[in-house]
Amino acid sequence: LTEFKICNGVIMLILEKQGSKLPMRIHNVHTGALLHSVNYENELLSEDQPTSSIRFIEQFNEYLLIQLRDSECLQVLNLVT
């Protein structure tokens, strides 16, 4: 576990990077039930890049906002679809 965020009754667990994938899990705070499991993959997250290459990860309702340090683009992932 490298980081966690709590928002609107859910907790997002950001796990250790595995190669170019960053696994994340979203659980219900009250029951602990797993709501979503996401493996965010990006070529900029290669094994020689530290996890600190991520500028920020935020959860906003059913969306996940991700921005990398080397990129000006903000990626928006819909966790429902």
Side-chain angles (χ1 to χ4, degrees), residues 44 53 55-56 66-75:
L44 295 176
S53 62
R55 182 170 288 160
F56 72 84
I66 301 174
Q67 185 175 30
L68 303 176
R69 291 203 185 278
D70 299 337
S71 175
E72 294 179 9
C73 297
L74 176 67
Q75 295 180 327

Side-chain angles (χ1 to χ4, degrees), residues 14-70:
I14 302 169
L15 306 173
E16 291 288 328
K17 184 177 66 145
Q18 300 170 350
S20 63
K21 294 181 181 180
L22 184 64
M24 295 175 270
R25 294 194 179 119
I26 299 173
H27 293 265
N28 181 302
V29 170
H30 305 291
T31 65
L34 178 65
L35 302 175
H36 245 287
S37 183
V38 177
N39 272 322
Y40 174 73
E41 187 170 11
N42 191 302
E43 64 274 358
L44 295 176
L45 289 177
S46 63
E47 291 191 32
D48 59 337
Q49 294 283 337
T51 306
S52 62
S53 62
I54 296 174
R55 182 170 288 160
F56 72 84
I57 297 176
E58 293 296 331
Q59 180 192 357
F60 183 71
N61 295 326
E62 68 270 16
Y63 298 100
L64 197 59
L65 310 172
I66 301 174
Q67 185 175 30
L68 303 176
R69 291 203 185 278
D70 299 337

